[in-house]
Each structure stands twice: as structure tokens, then as C-alpha cells.
Amino acid sequence: MEILNEIKFSMPSLSVNESAARAVVSSFLIQTDPTVEELSDIRTAVSEAVTNAVVHAYRYKQGKIELTVRLLRDREIYIKVRDKGCGIKNIEKAMEPLFTTAPEEERSGLGFSVMQSFMDKLTVRSKEGTGTTVVMRKRLSEHGD
């Protein structure tokens, strides 16, 4: 994986920082000249990943969320969202559409499904008590496609 450019930042797990994460990622990706649709898809996927960390990883406490965005060869985007929260007991179950660990909060349970639908590849690694890492990849279209 040849990295052409990269940005890393961390933020407290506050819901107000979901929009900050979208804004930072968008600003960084402008250099790739993505389509409006591609940028919208990426912003939505990032928002879902950060929201999951805020709502589920640090349920009753505050922690840090680390975000890494890389521009790779061939117009590929790599995004990693990492928390050091409670972790996911059963990743396969958590990735099922409509599954939520917070039904009392009227959560839809579509976060991972949304990420999968907007990105080309989604990988989730987690360990209970240690945290979760979500890696998303998307290849941007060539200009004129």
C-alpha cells in the first residue's frame, strides 16, 4: 500500500465531533477532486463510524476516537476509525442489518450496513475491553468516468 498523503487526528467521543470528523475528511479529500456523490458517500460512512464509537464504544463515559485518512495509489481512499472503548462481543452479529445494542435509544442498527453500502470494502476488528478498529476503502472514479 503506497501512501501518497495522510492525515491523522484524534477527538473526544462527543457527538458534536461527528460533524467535525466529516468536515476534516472532506477538506482533506478535496485534493483528489472526488465527485459530489463520492464525497457524500465517504462523509456518510465516516459519520456512521464515528457515531458508532460515540454511542457504543464509550457508552457512559468519554474517550478518544482516532481517525486516519490516507490517499493511496490509483485514487484509492483508506479511512480508519479507532476507539479504545468496550469492544464488540460478536462482530458478525453487530454487522447484521437492524441489530443494535441500544434499542432503548431507538437506534436503527444500520451503521455497518450504511458503511458497507457507501464504501468498496469494510473491515471491522474488535476485542472486548480493548476497542474497535473500522477500516474503510473506496476507489474514486477517474475524471471523466
Side-chain angles (χ1 to χ4, degrees):
M1 164 172 44
E2 182 181 346
I3 301 169
L4 304 176
N5 200 358
E6 177 180 67
I7 186 172
K8 293 181 180 186
F9 65 100
S10 67
M11 61 197 142
S13 60
L14 302 171
S15 62
V16 295
N17 287 335
E18 294 162 23
S19 61
R22 286 192 308 269
V24 169
V25 170
S26 296
S27 296
F28 182 71
L29 293 180
I30 288 300
Q31 65 190 290
T32 65
D33 194 24
T35 67
V36 171
E37 182 179 353
E38 288 169 333
L39 194 56
S40 178
D41 289 353
I42 293 166
R43 287 171 49 92
T44 300
V46 167
S47 184
E48 289 295 332
V50 172
T51 297
N52 274 358
V54 169
V55 171
H56 301 290
Y58 299 113
R59 181 162 280 299
Y60 300 110
K61 60 183 180 178
Q62 189 174 325
K64 292 282 185 199
I65 299 170
E66 299 168 359
L67 185 59
T68 302
V69 184
R70 294 177 178 155
L71 306 180
L72 308 176
R73 274 188 131 352
D74 299 322
R75 298 183 51 76
E76 188 173 1
I77 307 301
Y78 168 102
I79 300 169
K80 178 171 72 173
V81 179
R82 182 172 183 255
D83 67 67
K84 295 181 182 175
C86 64
I88 300 171
K89 183 176 184 173
N90 183 335
I91 294 172
E92 188 176 311
K93 183 74 173 166
M95 293 182 76
E96 289 179 5
L98 305 178
F99 176 81
T100 181
T101 59
E104 70 282 356
E105 296 175 16
E106 297 183 23
R107 297 282 168 188
S108 66
L110 293 172
F112 286 127
S113 296
V114 168
M115 288 180 245
Q116 284 178 314
S117 69
F118 288 131
M119 303 300 279
D120 296 334
K121 185 174 182 181
L122 173 70
T123 305
V124 180
R125 293 184 312 274
S126 190
K127 184 176 180 186
E128 280 190 283
T130 303
T132 301
T133 300
V134 174
V135 175
M136 301 176 283
R137 294 174 83 138
K138 184 173 186 75
R139 186 172 311 280
L140 301 177
S141 61
E142 294 295 327
H143 296 288
D145 285 357

